[in-house]
């Protein structure tokens, strides 16, 4: 880039309107490992809320997927706002959790175990059904940020989910009753938090959740209890014969049109139904939203998908 070119371009901050907001961030680090003298599985939380209390609706907690990080909720292709911004505009104090070992939440192999290699753009392109093959190798354009922000998964799925649950539980204790929105491999944290703390979760929105349930292959270690690696209380009945835990929390499962995830999500919906969960399967193709892959939260129809699920499923609950 020469000087003349740069002089003609606006910096990113100049293209956005000035908005009065409340914002902040903090670390969750309640578990301490005496041997290492460090917390085990700490997690960073970034949050933002409308300035005026009169504008506040239910808090929203966003849980990223797989090898991603909370930045997944801060952007979308073609200059669209991320889901975090859209939730704040809709009046929700919004909390973004970097799951332990991801993003700004430090990975310590001594206390957290090994992790998978960082995926390359070709692997991510297959996972996210990117329809521009050249972007899988040169990282330019629409798909570049996905590759740039990705890291490997922790290899001990049960341990990872236990840490995710602990940090999400701590966060919900701070926010009070909230809506939990998960993406992909972030789903087990949402299922478990709703199961353990149904009084603190008003709704779970699971965007293309990890599945199908009890599948073999590469997801077997993460789903050997069905949709989690840890047992769900919803799978058991209380003394009064009623189902409990997750079965008391409404759920929306969202499926994109071009991700190849439809069959898996159908099985997840059936599994939840057998647990007694009130679950809705929101298929974007039935609402005219086509072409999106597994990363629908930052894909072409990101904004439209947000408004669909918010208007149909979230706004009526607060």
């Amino acid at each position: 880039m020469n000087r003349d070119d740069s002089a003609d371009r606006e910096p990113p901050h100049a293209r956005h309107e000035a908005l009065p907001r409340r914002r902040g961030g903090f670390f969750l680090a309640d578990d301490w490992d005496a041997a290492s003298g460090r917390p085990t599985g700490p997690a960073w939380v970034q949050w933002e809320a409308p300035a005026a209390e009169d504008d506040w609706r239910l808090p929203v907690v966003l849980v990223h997927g797989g090898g991603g990080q909370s930045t997944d909720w801060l952007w979308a292709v073609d200059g669209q706002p991320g889901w975090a911004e859209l939730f704040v505009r809709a009046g929700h104090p919004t909390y973004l959790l970097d799951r332990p070992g991801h993003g700004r939440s430090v990975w310590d192999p001594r206390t957290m175990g090994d992790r998978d290699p960082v995926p390359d753009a070709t692997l991510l392109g297959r996972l996210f059904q990117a329809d521009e093959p050249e972007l899988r190798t040169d990282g330019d354009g629409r798909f570049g940020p996905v590759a740039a922000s990705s890291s490997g998964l922790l290899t001990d799925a049960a341990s990872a989910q236990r840490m995710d649950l602990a940090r999400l539980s701590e966060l919900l204790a701070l926010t009070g009753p909230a809506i939990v929105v998960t993406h992909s491999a972030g789903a087990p944290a949402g299922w478990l938090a709703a199961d353990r703390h149904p009084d603190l979760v008003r709704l779970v929105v699971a965007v293309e959740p990890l599945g199908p349930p009890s599948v073999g292959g590469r997801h077997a270690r993460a789903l050997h209890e069905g949709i989690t690696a840890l047992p769900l209380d919803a799978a058991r009945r209380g003394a009064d014969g009623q189902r409990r835990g997750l079965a008391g929390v409404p759920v929306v499962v969202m499926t994109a049109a071009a991700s190849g995830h439809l069959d898996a999500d159908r099985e997840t919906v059936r599994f939840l139904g057998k647990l007694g969960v009130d679950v809705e399967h929101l298929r974007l193709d039935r609402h005219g939203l086509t072409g999106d892959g597994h990363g629908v939260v930052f894909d072409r129809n990101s904004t439209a998908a947000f408004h669909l699920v918010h208007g149909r499923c979230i706004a009526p609950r607060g």
Side-chain angles (χ1 to χ4, degrees):
M1 179 188 300
N2 60 45
R3 286 185 184 173
D4 290 339
D5 289 338
S6 61
D8 292 338
R9 297 185 180 183
E10 282 189 317
H13 62 267
R15 299 194 293 269
H16 290 266
E17 61 180 319
L19 298 170
R21 294 279 176 86
R22 304 185 188 206
R23 60 168 58 94
F26 52 88
F27 276 100
L28 298 167
D30 277 5
D31 290 339
W32 195 264
D33 180 69
S36 66
R38 287 185 48 81
T40 301
W44 168 256
V45 177
Q46 176 178 336
W47 65 269
E48 189 164 312
E53 292 185 38
D54 290 345
D55 295 335
W56 291 352
R57 306 174 80 166
L58 273 176
V60 169
V61 177
L62 301 177
V63 183
H64 66 82
Q69 53 183 290
S70 63
T71 53
D72 291 351
W73 305 103
L74 293 174
W75 71 282
V77 300
D78 302 329
Q80 298 174 84
W83 276 31
E85 170 65 18
L86 293 170
F87 271 116
V88 177
R89 290 183 190 178
H92 300 276
T94 301
Y95 292 77
L96 288 75
L97 176 71
D98 272 326
R99 292 165 48 218
H102 300 274
R104 288 160 289 187
S105 299
V106 174
W107 169 55
D108 181 356
R110 294 173 299 173
T111 58
M112 301 171 70
D114 294 332
R115 70 189 313 163
D116 294 334
V118 175
D120 61 26
T122 300
L123 174 60
L124 289 168
R126 290 198 300 268
L127 174 63
F128 286 93
Q129 303 290 313
D131 60 1
E132 297 161 280
E134 69 279 4
L135 303 187
R136 304 179 192 177
T137 54
D138 62 21
D140 190 17
R142 306 166 64 92
F143 193 60
V146 180
S149 62
S150 295
S151 62
L153 290 166
L154 299 179
T155 56
D156 187 336
S159 175
Q161 290 181 26
R162 195 173 291 110
M163 288 185 287
D164 289 350
L165 169 61
R167 301 295 84 79
L168 183 52
S169 298
E170 291 170 32
L171 179 53
L172 289 168
L174 295 173
T175 65
I179 294 164
V180 175
V181 182
T182 67
H183 179 223
S184 190
W191 305 139
L192 289 164
D195 191 63
R196 304 309 197 254
H197 309 288
D199 57 320
L200 292 176
V201 181
R202 291 287 183 264
L203 172 72
V204 175
V205 177
V207 181
E208 301 241 324
L210 186 68
S214 303
V215 70
R218 65 191 182 97
H219 294 323
R221 66 193 184 200
L223 300 174
H224 59 75
E225 292 289 337
I227 52 176
T228 59
L230 305 176
L232 292 168
D233 284 341
R236 299 187 290 273
R237 293 184 183 273
D240 57 2
Q242 299 297 312
R243 293 198 183 275
R244 55 190 181 185
L246 179 59
V249 179
V251 167
V252 176
V253 173
M254 176 189 284
T255 304
S259 65
H261 222 258
L262 179 57
D263 288 343
D265 287 352
R266 280 174 171 157
E267 291 189 38
T268 297
V269 169
R270 282 195 290 268
F271 183 92
L272 291 166
K274 290 178 181 178
L275 294 181
V277 177
D278 177 11
V279 56
E280 176 181 354
H281 191 183
L282 186 61
R283 290 178 48 177
L284 298 188
D285 62 331
R286 292 183 173 175
H287 297 271
L289 301 179
T290 61
D292 293 302
H294 187 56
V296 61
V297 297
F298 42 72
D299 211 334
R300 291 179 177 86
N301 290 310
S302 171
T303 302
F306 168 85
H307 286 299
L308 174 63
V309 71
H310 188 269
R312 181 185 179 94
C313 308
I314 296 174
R317 294 178 169 88

